[in-house]
Structures are given as structure tokens and as C-alpha cells.
Amino acid sequence: MNAVRLTGVTKTYGAHTAVDDVDLEVPAGSVHGFIGPNGSGKTTTIRMILHIIHPDRGEIEVLGERGTRAANDRIGYLPEERGLYKKMTVRRLLTYYGSLKGMTARDARSAGDVWLERMGLSDWATKKVEALSKGMAQKVQFISTVLSAPELVILDEPFSGLDPVNLEVLREAILELKKAGITVIFSTHDMAMAEQLCDSVFMIFRGRKVLDGTLETVRAEYGSDTIRVRLEGGRRHVEGIAGVDRILDLGQTQELRYDGDPQELLKTLTGRTRVQHFEIAHPSLHDIFIRIAGPEAREAVA
Amino acid sequence: MKVLTIAVTEYLNAVRSKAFILGVVMMPVMMGGGLIAKLIAEESEDVRDRTVAIVDHTERLYENIASAAEERNADVFEVEDDGSSEQVAARFVVEAYVPAEGEQRSPEIVLSDRVRSDELFGFVVIGEDAFETKRSHDDGVSYFSDNPTYDDLPDWIERIVQDAVEKERFAKADLDPDLIDDLTRRVRFKEAGLFEVSEEGEEVGGEEDDDVKNFVVPSVAMFLLFMLLMMSAPQALNVVLEEKMQKISEVLVSAVTPFELMMGKIVGTVFVSMTLSVLYLGAVVISTHYFGIENLIPLGVYLWFLFFQVLALLIYTSIFAAIGAACSEMRDAQSLMTPAMMLVLIPMFFWMVVLESPNSPMSVAVSLFPPATPMLMLMRVAIPPGPPLWQLGLAIVLTCAFTAACVWAGGKVFRIGLLATGQAPTMRRMIGWIVSK
């Protein structure tokens, strides 16, 4: 059972093709990450899933409803930024958003209070939104998204601008949703977070789907030519070795793409310095992202 | 249902704001402002003496003016209830011009200098032949001053001189001035409405025209509608634009369709405006009953007012909401607002024309032009006996059709504009949105 299924979906704006013939399946109950650089078509895809805009071609099925907004009351959506009335009180705002999702005002109000309690914001229920700190506003925004107990939650860049504490709160909240069997789709630039949270990822680049699958399959697809090392003396010791065609410096560790026998490389490195860590690894999502959308890839496309 | 949820929220947001409460109070103040300013001005009437020198070449008129001034000056005080008296008008002090000894300059030059040095307010030169019945080059009266806009004094002098001269001429011709008064008495003339036969078979009607009913009620009704429109419709632009800038619209359109969202705004705006009109019209009903003048405003005028108010709000709220949705910045919205404001303002350019001849081809045409119909047709309805029924019917049909078109077109611009970002669309582009599928 899929929560979302896109088949051959295309959307163009004038001469620009924002989304080009995309197929996608998001299984119910999974956490699905949308990744891709800015302007690659993520938001357009999300808007089409919500039927805010309509595809020029292709078919979209959401929670069993094909091509209509009928399922929208069962979807919670958190747009990329802000999205709150500054002049309303927190409780009134949540009640309003809840009623727009088809809840009665009373249900929306009590559900709102439960969530505020859970997020530690009970004292702020009667305060105006403009009085909230950024982190609190983001929590309120999250509550407004999940208030109506949706079956599908779509979060557009939910982690941007969060401090580590609030980031952790949100991460746990997403895992709770997953535990409750709710399908979660979120878009992010934070590859580490995507790796931690997602069952599967979907990457879109220049309107085309370039990655789709579970983390394991995606990483396996990008081979095992990645070697992660930690060396005394750092990066300079891996420079200039034959077969190393790319170094991703992560500070303490370096990720190398190496064409050849890893044993040979280890030998060379031990000859140069003390090796603290040596791992034959799948590429990180970050690395895969860069491989697909980094400057080299852009040049190749150009 | 969701439309109603949005409308109620919009309504509560609006009526709970300080701006609304201030607006409720401010509007009567603004409309009554002219009246209050006039009252204040009357209270502080400039009552300084107006001294005027008279060069009387007839050597007989000065006496008349001096005694008339004395009589008038005794009357500029008003006795209050508590017995104290207050000066309510300026005194006119007259003096005969007598040249100083050895004065070489002409009286005009001497007196002009005195006016300039504030010794005099003005001066009057009466021609030698003022009493003559034949025209001559020296039969006129001239008034000179540095205050060309103050005409109480010259008007008064003109009247006194005219009376005195007429009286003398009649006497000279051996005519009795009282007889002349009787013979030249003006015929009484009355302007009135038409007669009809009542159900009891009596002839009724022919009531004298009432300026309040014919001019004041229609004008006030139109301006009140205009003000109510201006207080609510442009608000929709601000609300929509703010939601778009805060990315709230995106959350909203994931829950409701853009059209539902826009209709919610429109209905909310209609609620707000209706609240205002209930307040104001209620005040009018109560006060006219209190003063026993309720027959000045027929019930029909109230009903038409509310009807046209709803149409006007539907038209303009959908236009303003669409503009708000199309823009991403207040600045862009301002420039797109100008054409919409021109439409709102049409009645302001034509209301005098309509008031003076409500059934002229011009008035008929402009009051049938849908954007202007609500205000101008309301005015024509309020002017007895009102427009012909077919015009009223046509106006309703045209305006309803136009309203539907505005809501439909507004809805399309709203839907496309709401998610568009960046530069504001041009008028042409917006029309493109309207005709696009």
C-alpha cells in the first residue's frame, strides 16, 4: 500500500520544465526524504502531491484518492518558512488551522492543548505568535501540521534554522509519527539527518528523478569505492596518491574515492603516516549528493 | 463550510483590531468633521471692528450709511440665557473722509495707505451721480480693500446704498415707496412632487420639495456607502498580501481550494462591513425616530443601501484580494491598486451630475456602468421619485453579472498569483491569467 504514488508526472512553467516525467512511490508508514539542490523541483513536487498545483501530465494518487483534493484533510503540511499569523494567539491559531482541516473547533482546541503540553508550550497558549522565539514558533508550526492527526505528513525543510535542542525535539517528534504508523515525507538539505531518519530517499535534480530507494540500495548503487580514513597529520598525507581521484575532507576524517585495491592504499598510507582509522565504506548521502549535483556534475550537464 | 470558518476568523480578526474600533469612531467624526469645523468657526467668528472710510461725492449718502451702521452695530450682540451678552458679528464702523489741510494727494491714495497701515479695513468711493436715473460715468459706488474674500461688508454697503438711492428716486418721481413695495412683491413659487389618487379616492401628494430629502439624504447615503467600501475592501488586499508574504497562504491552500479561501475573505469582509452599516444605519434610524423625522428616509433607501453594499463589496473585495494575491510586496500592490481605485472613484466624479439631474442620459449611462452602479444607482433611488423600474432592473442584472465576473476573474488571478513569487505581474499578465485555462 502506497501513501503517495506519482506516475509520469510532468510540470512545466513556460519554457522551464520544473518536474520532468517523475515516478515515485512512498510506502505507507515509511519516512521518506526528498533531497536535491534548491530549485530542483522539490517544492513543485510537494505542491502537486497536495494538489495546490496540477501536473501537466501524469497521475498523482494520494492516500488512495486519485487526482483530487479529497485526501487533503488527511494530510498535514508544513511549508518551508513561517506560515503563522503573528497577531493571533497560539491557541486560536491552532484551532483555526484545525478547523480548516475539518475538525470541529472544540476538537481542534483540545488536541492543540494536548500537543502544547507535550511540546512544553502550555504557558504560551494565550500568547500571541509574535511573542514566541523562533524555536517555539517552529514547534507551534509543527503542532499545526500534526494537530488533525493526519495519515500523511509533509514537511518542507523542517530542520532549517533550528538550534540543536529544537532539532532533537523535532527529530523525536518525527520518529513518534513513524511509530504511530504515519507516513512522513520531508525535504531537507541536511544529509546527515536524512541518513538518520529516512527509510528511503528520493532525489530530484533539474526536474528529473536521480535517486529513489532505501538508503542501502542507494548507497550500494554508488559502489564501495569509498574509503574513510583518519590519519595523523590529516589530509595532506592522502594527496598525490595514484588512484585517489576525489577527496572529501570532513575535517577529522577524509572520504576518498579510490580506484584500485584498498589493501594497496592502506600500505601506501602506513608508509606515509600513522593510520588511526581505515574503513571501506559506502559513500555517504552527502557524497552521493555532491557527485550528482556538485560542480563537476553541473559542468558535465552543461 | 470551510468558507464560513475562514470568514468567521477573518471577521473576528478584523473587528477585534484596534484599527476597526478606531474606524468605527473616526468615520462619523470625519463625515461630521465639516459640520464641527463650521460650528467651531462660528464660535470663533472674527469680531474685530471693520472700519471703512467713505468718500461721498453725493454728500447725502454718508448719512444713510452711518445711521444704518449704527442700527446694525446695536444688533451684533447675542444675549445668552444667563443674561450675559456675547458679540457674534463684527461691527461696521464708518467714517466720512475729510482731507487733511494742505493734502495734495488724491483721496484714493491717502486711504489706500491707511488701509495698508491697518488703520482702515477698506474704503468706499460714491460717484457724484449716484442718485441720477440716467447712466453717467460717475454714477457708481466702488469698494476698495486688501481683503477681497471678505464680502460681508461690501454686500452690506451695496444693499444700503441701493435702498437709499431707490427710495430717493421714487420720492423724486412722486411715487409712494410702500405702493412700489406692494406692486413689486415677488410671486410665491413652490417646487413640489406630483399628485396621485389614494386608495380612499382622495387626491394626495403635491408636497413641497424638501431639500433634505432631495439632496442631503441621497448624498449622505452615497458617501456612507463609499466610506464603508473604502474601510473594508482594500483591507482584503493587505490581509491576502500579508498571508502570502508570511507563507500562510501556502498552508491555507493545502487545506482549502484557493477559491474557497478567497470566498472566505470576501464573506468575512461583507460581515465586517455589514457590522459597520448596522451600527451606522441603526444610529440613523434611532436618531430620526427620536427627532420625529423618520419619514425623511423611506425604508426602501435602507434596503437598497444594504443590497448595493453587498454587491459593491463583492466586486471590490474580489478585485483587491486578487491584487493582493498577485503581488509579493506592498510596493507592487500600491501601483496595481491605482486602476482599481479609479473604478471606486468614478461615483465621486459624477455624483453632482446625478444629483442635479438624476434622469439625464449622462446620469442614466453612468449609473448603469456596473463598477459605479452601487453608489450612483443608490443615489438615484434615494432621490424622489427614483429611477424608472426598467433602469433599476437593468442595473441589478448588469451589476450582478459584473459581480459574478469579478469574483470569477478574481478567483483565477488569486489562484495563480498566490503561488507566484518574485516580480509583480503586469496588468497584461494578469489578464493572461484570467483567460488562461
Side-chain angles (χ1 to χ4, degrees), chain A residues 15-84:
Chain A
H16 172 66
T17 304
V19 174
D20 190 2
D21 193 24
V22 164
D23 297 320
L24 170 70
E25 287 186 0
V26 179
S30 68
V31 177
H32 205 85
F34 272 25
I35 57 177
N38 291 329
S40 57
K42 282 179 303 196
T43 300
T44 303
T45 308
I46 289 177
R47 283 177 175 177
M48 284 193 290
I49 293 173
L50 289 161
H51 291 99
I52 295 176
I53 51 179
H54 302 287
D56 299 328
R57 263 202 316 279
E59 199 180 77
I60 295 173
E61 190 184 311
V62 183
L63 300 175
E65 301 287 346
R66 200 172 300 170
T68 73
R69 302 176 64 102
N72 271 33
D73 278 356
R74 294 186 278 146
I75 308 175
Y77 173 48
L78 178 82
E80 188 172 345
E81 41 186 338
R82 295 171 289 196
L84 300 175

Side-chain angles (χ1 to χ4, degrees), chain B residues 334-377:
Chain B
Q334 303 277 352
S335 59
L336 274 174
M337 247 174 102
T338 312
M341 289 308 281
M342 295 303 285
L343 286 181
V344 183
L345 286 173
I346 291 173
M348 294 295 115
F349 304 137
F350 288 98
W351 72 280
M352 286 296 287
V353 177
V354 175
L355 190 62
E356 266 168 26
S357 58
N359 290 308
S360 70
M362 182 67 183
S363 299
V364 172
V366 75
S367 67
L368 286 175
F369 180 59
T373 297
M375 278 175 258
L376 293 181
M377 201 44 101

Side-chain angles (χ1 to χ4, degrees), chain B residues 373-385:
Chain B
T373 297
M375 278 175 258
L376 293 181
M377 201 44 101
L378 172 66
M379 201 166 170
R380 291 186 61 201
V381 168
I383 302 170

Side-chain angles (χ1 to χ4, degrees), chain A residues 43 47 50 52-54 69 72-73 77 79 81-86 88 92 96-97 99-102, chain B residues 2 5-6 9 12-13 16 242-243 245-248 250-258 265 419:
Chain A
T43 300
R47 283 177 175 177
L50 289 161
I52 295 176
I53 51 179
H54 302 287
R69 302 176 64 102
N72 271 33
D73 278 356
Y77 173 48
E81 41 186 338
R82 295 171 289 196
L84 300 175
Y85 289 93
K86 285 186 285 187
M88 275 197 205
R92 215 175 134 234
Y96 180 42
Y97 279 13
S99 1
L100 286 182
K101 285 288 181 186
Chain B
K2 285 180 180 176
T5 305
I6 295 168
T9 302
L12 292 176
N13 283 353
R16 283 180 185 179
E242 204 204 318
E243 280 177 2
M245 282 159 56
Q246 302 288 331
K247 302 276 171 188
I248 297 171
E250 208 169 325
V251 182
L252 297 179
V253 293
S254 75
V256 298
T257 63
K265 307 269 173 216
L419 295 172

